[in-house]
Coordinates of all heavy atoms in Angstrom, one line a residue:
V147 N 7.3 12.4 8.2 CA 7.6 13.7 7.6 C 7.2 14.8 8.5 O 6.2 14.8 9.2 CB 6.8 13.8 6.3 CG1 6.9 15.2 5.7 CG2 7.2 12.7 5.3
Y148 N 8.1 15.8 8.5 CA 7.7 17.2 9.0 C 8.1 18.2 7.9 O 9.3 18.5 7.8 CB 8.3 17.5 10.4 CG 7.9 18.9 10.7 CD1 6.6 19.2 11.1 CD2 8.9 20.0 10.7 CE1 6.3 20.5 11.4 CE2 8.5 21.3 10.9 CZ 7.2 21.6 11.3 OH 6.8 22.9 11.6
G149 N 7.2 18.6 7.1 CA 7.5 19.6 6.1 C 7.8 20.9 6.6 O 7.0 21.4 7.5
S150 N 8.8 21.6 6.1 CA 9.1 22.9 6.5 C 8.0 23.9 6.2 O 7.4 23.8 5.2 CB 10.4 23.4 5.8 OG 10.7 24.8 6.1
P151 N 7.7 24.9 7.1 CA 6.8 25.9 6.8 C 7.2 26.8 5.6 O 6.4 27.5 5.0 CB 6.7 26.8 8.1 CG 7.2 25.9 9.2 CD 8.2 25.0 8.5
S152 N 8.5 26.8 5.3 CA 9.1 27.5 4.2 C 8.8 26.8 2.9 O 9.1 25.6 2.7 CB 10.6 27.7 4.4 OG 11.2 28.1 3.1
G153 N 8.2 27.5 2.0 CA 7.8 26.9 0.7 C 9.1 26.5 -0.1 O 9.1 25.4 -0.7
Y154 N 10.2 27.3 0.0 CA 11.4 26.9 -0.7 C 12.0 25.6 -0.1 O 12.3 24.7 -0.9 CB 12.4 28.0 -0.5 CG 13.8 27.7 -0.9 CD1 14.1 27.6 -2.3 CD2 14.8 27.5 0.0 CE1 15.4 27.3 -2.7 CE2 16.1 27.1 -0.4 CZ 16.4 27.1 -1.7 OH 17.7 26.7 -2.1
L155 N 12.0 25.5 1.2 CA 12.5 24.2 1.8 C 11.6 23.1 1.5 O 12.0 21.9 1.4 CB 12.8 24.4 3.3 CG 13.9 25.4 3.6 CD1 14.0 25.6 5.1 CD2 15.2 24.9 3.1
R156 N 10.3 23.3 1.6 CA 9.3 22.2 1.4 C 9.4 21.7 -0.1 O 9.2 20.5 -0.3 CB 7.9 22.8 1.6 CG 6.9 21.7 2.0 CD 5.6 22.2 2.6 NE 5.0 23.3 1.8 CZ 5.1 24.6 2.2 NH1 5.6 24.9 3.4 NH2 4.5 25.5 1.5
R157 N 9.7 22.5 -1.0 CA 10.0 22.0 -2.4 C 11.1 21.0 -2.4 O 11.1 20.1 -3.2 CB 10.2 23.1 -3.4 CG 8.8 23.8 -3.8 CD 9.0 24.8 -4.9 NE 9.8 26.0 -4.5 CZ 9.2 27.1 -4.0 NH1 7.9 27.1 -3.7 NH2 10.0 28.1 -3.6
R158 N 12.1 21.2 -1.6 CA 13.2 20.3 -1.4 C 12.7 18.9 -0.9 O 13.2 17.9 -1.3 CB 14.3 20.8 -0.5 CG 15.1 22.0 -1.1 CD 16.2 22.4 -0.1 NE 17.0 23.5 -0.7 CZ 18.1 23.9 -0.1 NH1 18.5 23.3 1.1 NH2 18.8 24.9 -0.6
L159 N 11.7 19.0 0.0 CA 11.1 17.8 0.5 C 10.5 17.0 -0.6 O 10.7 15.8 -0.7 CB 10.1 18.1 1.6 CG 9.2 17.0 2.0 CD1 10.0 15.8 2.7 CD2 8.1 17.5 3.0
W160 N 9.6 17.6 -1.4 CA 9.0 16.9 -2.5 C 10.0 16.3 -3.4 O 9.8 15.2 -4.0 CB 8.0 17.8 -3.3 CG 7.1 18.7 -2.5 CD1 6.7 20.0 -2.7 CD2 6.4 18.3 -1.3 NE1 5.8 20.4 -1.8 CE2 5.6 19.4 -0.9 CE3 6.3 17.2 -0.5 CZ2 4.7 19.4 0.2 CZ3 5.5 17.2 0.6 CH2 4.7 18.3 1.0
N161 N 11.1 17.0 -3.7 CA 12.1 16.5 -4.6 C 12.9 15.3 -4.0 O 13.2 14.3 -4.7 CB 13.1 17.6 -4.9 CG 14.1 17.2 -5.9 OD1 13.8 16.7 -7.0 ND2 15.4 17.3 -5.6
A162 N 13.1 15.4 -2.7 CA 14.0 14.3 -2.0 C 13.2 13.1 -1.7 O 13.7 12.0 -1.8 CB 14.6 14.9 -0.7
L163 N 11.9 13.2 -1.3 CA 11.1 12.1 -0.9 C 10.4 11.5 -2.1 O 9.2 11.6 -2.4 CB 10.1 12.5 0.2 CG 9.3 11.4 0.9 CD1 10.2 10.4 1.5 CD2 8.4 11.9 1.9
S164 N 11.3 10.8 -2.9 CA 10.9 10.2 -4.2 C 11.3 8.8 -4.3 O 12.4 8.4 -3.8 CB 11.5 11.1 -5.3 OG 11.4 10.4 -6.5
R165 N 10.5 7.9 -4.9 CA 10.9 6.6 -5.1 C 12.2 6.4 -5.8 O 12.9 5.4 -5.6 CB 9.8 5.8 -5.9 CG 8.5 5.7 -5.2 CD 7.4 5.2 -6.2 NE 6.1 5.2 -5.7 CZ 5.6 4.3 -4.9 NH1 6.3 3.2 -4.6 NH2 4.4 4.4 -4.4
N166 N 12.5 7.3 -6.7 CA 13.7 7.3 -7.4 C 15.0 7.6 -6.6 O 16.1 7.4 -7.1 CB 13.6 8.2 -8.7 CG 12.6 7.8 -9.6 OD1 12.3 6.6 -9.8 ND2 12.0 8.7 -10.3
K167 N 14.8 8.2 -5.4 CA 15.9 8.7 -4.7 C 16.1 8.0 -3.3 O 17.1 8.2 -2.7 CB 15.8 10.2 -4.5 CG 15.9 11.0 -5.8 CD 15.9 12.5 -5.6 CE 16.0 13.2 -7.0 NZ 16.0 14.6 -6.8
I168 N 15.1 7.3 -2.9 CA 15.2 6.6 -1.6 C 14.8 5.1 -1.9 O 14.3 4.8 -3.0 CB 14.3 7.1 -0.5 CG1 12.8 7.1 -1.0 CG2 14.7 8.5 -0.1 CD1 11.8 7.5 0.1
H169 N 15.1 4.2 -1.0 CA 14.9 2.8 -1.2 C 13.4 2.5 -0.8 O 13.1 2.4 0.4 CB 15.8 2.0 -0.4 CG 17.3 2.1 -0.7 ND1 17.8 1.6 -1.9 CD2 18.3 2.8 -0.1 CE1 19.1 1.9 -2.0 NE2 19.4 2.7 -0.9
V170 N 12.5 2.3 -1.8 CA 11.2 1.9 -1.6 C 11.0 0.5 -2.2 O 10.8 0.5 -3.4 CB 10.2 2.9 -2.1 CG1 8.7 2.4 -1.9 CG2 10.4 4.3 -1.5
N171 N 11.1 -0.5 -1.5 CA 11.1 -1.9 -2.0 C 9.8 -2.7 -1.6 O 9.6 -3.8 -2.0 CB 12.3 -2.7 -1.6 CG 13.6 -2.0 -2.1 OD1 13.7 -1.6 -3.2 ND2 14.6 -1.9 -1.2
Y172 N 9.0 -2.1 -0.7 CA 7.9 -2.8 -0.1 C 6.7 -1.8 0.0 O 6.8 -0.6 -0.4 CB 8.2 -3.2 1.3 CG 9.5 -4.0 1.4 CD1 10.7 -3.4 1.9 CD2 9.6 -5.3 1.0 CE1 11.9 -4.1 2.0 CE2 10.8 -6.0 1.0 CZ 11.9 -5.4 1.5 OH 13.1 -6.1 1.5
P173 N 5.5 -2.3 0.4 CA 4.4 -1.3 0.6 C 4.9 -0.1 1.4 O 5.6 -0.3 2.4 CB 3.4 -2.2 1.4 CG 3.7 -3.6 1.0 CD 5.2 -3.7 0.8
W174 N 4.4 1.1 1.1 CA 5.0 2.3 1.6 C 3.9 3.1 2.3 O 2.9 3.5 1.7 CB 5.6 3.1 0.4 CG 6.4 4.3 0.7 CD1 7.0 4.6 1.9 CD2 6.7 5.4 -0.2 NE1 7.6 5.8 1.8 CE2 7.5 6.3 0.5 CE3 6.4 5.6 -1.5 CZ2 8.0 7.4 -0.1 CZ3 6.9 6.7 -2.1 CH2 7.7 7.7 -1.4
L175 N 4.1 3.5 3.5 CA 3.3 4.4 4.3 C 4.0 5.7 4.6 O 5.2 5.6 5.0 CB 2.8 3.8 5.6 CG 2.0 4.7 6.5 CD1 0.7 5.0 6.0 CD2 1.9 4.0 7.9
I176 N 3.4 6.8 4.3 CA 4.0 8.1 4.6 C 3.1 8.8 5.5 O 1.9 8.9 5.3 CB 4.2 9.0 3.3 CG1 5.0 8.2 2.2 CG2 4.9 10.2 3.6 CD1 5.0 8.9 0.9
A177 N 3.6 9.3 6.6 CA 2.7 9.9 7.6 C 3.4 11.1 8.3 O 4.6 11.2 8.2 CB 2.4 8.9 8.7
G178 N 2.6 12.0 8.8 CA 3.2 13.2 9.5 C 2.5 14.5 9.2 O 1.3 14.5 8.9
D179 N 3.3 15.6 9.4 CA 2.8 16.9 9.2 C 3.5 17.5 7.9 O 4.7 17.8 8.0 CB 3.1 17.8 10.4 CG 2.6 19.2 10.3 OD1 2.1 19.6 9.2 OD2 2.7 20.0 11.2
F180 N 2.7 17.6 6.8 CA 3.3 18.1 5.6 C 3.4 19.6 5.5 O 4.0 20.1 4.6 CB 2.6 17.5 4.4 CG 2.6 16.0 4.4 CD1 1.5 15.3 4.9 CD2 3.6 15.3 3.8 CE1 1.6 13.9 4.9 CE2 3.6 13.9 3.8 CZ 2.6 13.2 4.3
N181 N 2.7 20.3 6.4 CA 2.6 21.8 6.2 C 2.1 22.2 4.9 O 2.6 23.2 4.3 CB 3.9 22.5 6.6 CG 3.9 22.9 8.1 OD1 3.0 23.6 8.5 ND2 5.0 22.6 8.8
A182 N 1.2 21.4 4.3 CA 0.6 21.7 3.0 C -0.7 21.0 2.9 O -1.0 20.0 3.7 CB 1.5 21.1 1.9
I183 N -1.6 21.4 2.1 CA -2.9 20.9 2.0 C -3.2 20.6 0.5 O -2.6 21.1 -0.4 CB -4.0 21.8 2.6 CG1 -3.9 23.2 1.9 CG2 -3.8 22.0 4.1 CD1 -5.0 24.2 2.4
V184 N -4.2 19.7 0.3 CA -4.6 19.4 -1.1 C -5.8 20.2 -1.5 O -6.1 20.3 -2.7 CB -4.9 17.9 -1.3 CG1 -3.7 17.1 -1.0 CG2 -6.1 17.5 -0.4
S185 N -6.5 20.9 -0.6 CA -7.6 21.8 -1.0 C -7.8 22.8 0.2 O -7.5 22.5 1.3 CB -8.9 21.0 -1.2 OG -9.4 20.5 0.0
N186 N -8.4 23.9 -0.2 CA -8.6 25.0 0.8 C -9.6 24.6 1.9 O -9.7 25.1 3.0 CB -9.1 26.3 0.2 CG -8.0 26.9 -0.7 OD1 -6.8 26.6 -0.5 ND2 -8.4 27.8 -1.6
E187 N -10.4 23.5 1.6 CA -11.4 23.0 2.6 C -10.7 22.4 3.8 O -11.3 22.2 4.9 CB -12.3 22.0 2.0 CG -13.2 22.5 0.9 CD -14.0 21.5 0.2 OE1 -13.8 20.3 0.6 OE2 -14.9 21.8 -0.6
E188 N -9.4 22.1 3.7 CA -8.6 21.5 4.8 C -8.1 22.6 5.7 O -7.4 22.2 6.7 CB -7.5 20.6 4.3 CG -8.0 19.4 3.5 CD -6.9 18.6 3.0 OE1 -5.7 18.7 3.5 OE2 -7.1 17.7 2.1
C189 N -8.4 23.8 5.5 CA -7.8 24.9 6.3 C -9.0 25.8 6.8 O -9.9 26.1 6.1 CB -6.9 25.8 5.4 SG -6.1 27.1 6.3
T190 N -8.9 26.1 8.1 CA -9.9 27.0 8.7 C -9.8 28.4 8.4 O -10.7 29.2 8.6 CB -9.9 26.8 10.3 OG1 -8.6 27.2 10.7 CG2 -10.2 25.4 10.7
S191 N -8.6 28.8 7.9 CA -8.4 30.2 7.5 C -9.4 30.7 6.4 O -9.6 29.9 5.4 CB -7.0 30.5 7.1 OG -6.8 31.8 6.6
T192 N -9.9 31.9 6.5 CA -10.8 32.4 5.5 C -10.0 32.8 4.2 O -10.6 33.0 3.1 CB -11.6 33.6 6.0 OG1 -10.7 34.6 6.5 CG2 -12.5 33.1 7.1
S193 N -8.7 33.0 4.4 CA -7.9 33.4 3.2 C -7.2 32.2 2.7 O -6.8 31.3 3.4 CB -6.8 34.5 3.7 OG -6.0 33.9 4.6
S194 N -7.1 32.2 1.3 CA -6.5 31.0 0.7 C -5.0 30.9 1.0 O -4.3 32.0 0.9 CB -6.7 31.1 -0.8 OG -6.0 30.1 -1.5
P195 N -4.5 29.8 1.3 CA -3.0 29.6 1.5 C -2.2 29.7 0.2 O -1.0 29.7 0.2 CB -2.9 28.2 2.1 CG -4.1 27.5 1.6 CD -5.2 28.5 1.5
G196 N -2.9 29.7 -1.0 CA -2.2 29.9 -2.2 C -2.3 28.6 -3.0 O -2.0 27.5 -2.6
A197 N -2.7 28.8 -4.3 CA -2.8 27.6 -5.2 C -1.5 26.9 -5.4 O -1.5 25.7 -5.5 CB -3.4 28.1 -6.5
H198 N -0.4 27.6 -5.4 CA 0.9 27.0 -5.7 C 1.3 26.1 -4.6 O 1.9 25.0 -4.8 CB 2.0 28.1 -5.8 CG 2.2 28.9 -4.6 ND1 1.3 29.9 -4.2 CD2 3.2 28.8 -3.7 CE1 1.8 30.4 -3.0 NE2 2.9 29.8 -2.7
R199 N 0.9 26.4 -3.3 CA 1.2 25.6 -2.2 C 0.4 24.2 -2.3 O 0.9 23.2 -2.1 CB 0.8 26.3 -0.9 CG 1.1 25.5 0.4 CD 0.9 26.4 1.6 NE 1.3 25.7 2.8 CZ 1.3 26.3 4.0 NH1 1.0 27.5 4.1 NH2 1.6 25.6 5.1
N200 N -0.9 24.3 -2.7 CA -1.6 23.1 -3.0 C -1.1 22.3 -4.1 O -1.0 21.1 -4.1 CB -3.1 23.4 -3.2 CG -3.8 24.0 -2.0 OD1 -3.3 24.0 -0.9 ND2 -5.0 24.6 -2.3
S201 N -0.7 23.0 -5.2 CA -0.3 22.4 -6.4 C 1.0 21.5 -6.2 O 1.0 20.4 -6.7 CB 0.0 23.4 -7.5 OG 0.4 22.8 -8.7
D202 N 2.0 22.1 -5.5 CA 3.2 21.3 -5.3 C 2.9 20.0 -4.6 O 3.5 19.0 -4.9 CB 4.2 22.2 -4.5 CG 4.8 23.3 -5.3 OD1 4.7 23.3 -6.5 OD2 5.3 24.2 -4.7
F203 N 2.1 20.1 -3.5 CA 1.8 18.9 -2.7 C 1.0 17.9 -3.6 O 1.3 16.7 -3.6 CB 1.0 19.3 -1.5 CG 0.7 18.3 -0.5 CD1 1.7 17.3 -0.2 CD2 -0.5 18.2 0.2 CE1 1.4 16.3 0.8 CE2 -0.7 17.3 1.1 CZ 0.2 16.3 1.4
K204 N 0.0 18.4 -4.3 CA -0.8 17.5 -5.1 C 0.0 16.8 -6.2 O -0.2 15.6 -6.5 CB -2.0 18.2 -5.7 CG -3.1 18.5 -4.6 CD -4.3 19.1 -5.2 CE -4.2 20.5 -5.8 NZ -5.4 21.1 -6.2
D205 N 0.9 17.6 -6.8 CA 1.8 17.0 -7.9 C 2.6 15.9 -7.3 O 2.8 14.9 -8.0 CB 2.7 18.1 -8.5 CG 1.9 19.1 -9.4 OD1 0.7 18.8 -9.7 OD2 2.4 20.2 -9.7
W206 N 3.2 16.1 -6.1 CA 4.0 15.1 -5.5 C 3.2 13.8 -5.2 O 3.7 12.7 -5.5 CB 4.6 15.7 -4.2 CG 5.3 14.7 -3.4 CD1 6.6 14.1 -3.6 CD2 4.9 14.1 -2.1 NE1 6.9 13.2 -2.6 CE2 5.9 13.2 -1.7 CE3 3.7 14.2 -1.4 CZ2 5.8 12.4 -0.5 CZ3 3.6 13.5 -0.2 CH2 4.6 12.6 0.2
I207 N 2.0 14.0 -4.7 CA 1.1 12.8 -4.4 C 0.9 12.1 -5.7 O 1.0 10.8 -5.8 CB -0.2 13.3 -3.8 CG1 0.0 13.8 -2.4 CG2 -1.2 12.1 -3.7 CD1 -1.2 14.4 -1.7
F208 N 0.6 12.8 -6.8 CA 0.3 12.1 -8.1 C 1.6 11.5 -8.6 O 1.6 10.3 -9.1 CB -0.2 13.2 -9.1 CG -0.4 12.6 -10.4 CD1 -1.6 12.0 -10.7 CD2 0.5 12.8 -11.5 CE1 -1.9 11.4 -12.0 CE2 0.3 12.3 -12.7 CZ -0.9 11.6 -13.0
D209 N 2.7 12.2 -8.6 CA 4.0 11.6 -9.1 C 4.4 10.4 -8.4 O 5.0 9.5 -9.1 CB 5.1 12.7 -9.1 CG 4.8 13.9 -10.0 OD1 4.0 13.7 -10.9 OD2 5.5 14.9 -9.8
E210 N 4.2 10.3 -7.1 CA 4.6 9.1 -6.3 C 3.5 8.0 -6.3 O 3.7 7.0 -5.6 CB 5.0 9.6 -4.9 CG 6.2 10.5 -4.9 CD 7.4 10.0 -5.6 OE1 7.7 8.8 -5.5 OE2 8.1 10.7 -6.3
A211 N 2.4 8.2 -7.0 CA 1.3 7.3 -7.0 C 0.8 7.0 -5.6 O 0.6 5.8 -5.2 CB 1.7 6.0 -7.7
L212 N 0.5 8.0 -4.8 CA 0.1 7.8 -3.4 C -1.4 8.0 -3.4 O -2.0 8.7 -4.2 CB 0.7 8.8 -2.5 CG 2.3 8.8 -2.5 CD1 2.8 10.0 -1.7 CD2 2.8 7.5 -1.9

Side-chain angles (χ1 to χ4, degrees):
V147 174
Y148 176 70
S150 172
S152 164
Y154 169 73
L155 293 177
R156 201 165 51 252
R157 282 190 290 274
R158 291 187 177 183
L159 167 62
W160 311 142
N161 183 57
L163 190 52
S164 163
R165 295 173 188 273
N166 295 329
K167 296 184 178 179
I168 59 175
H169 297 287
V170 179
N171 301 316
Y172 309 104
W174 188 20
L175 174 69
I176 308 173
D179 179 359
F180 298 94
N181 263 311
I183 59 178
V184 296
S185 73
N186 292 342
E187 294 178 354
E188 296 181 14
C189 183
T190 57
S191 173
T192 56
S193 61
S194 169
H198 65 284
R199 184 171 182 175
N200 295 349
S201 178
D202 289 344
F203 187 38
K204 288 188 289 187
D205 287 348
W206 173 74
I207 291 172
F208 178 81
D209 290 342
E210 299 304 321
L212 305 174

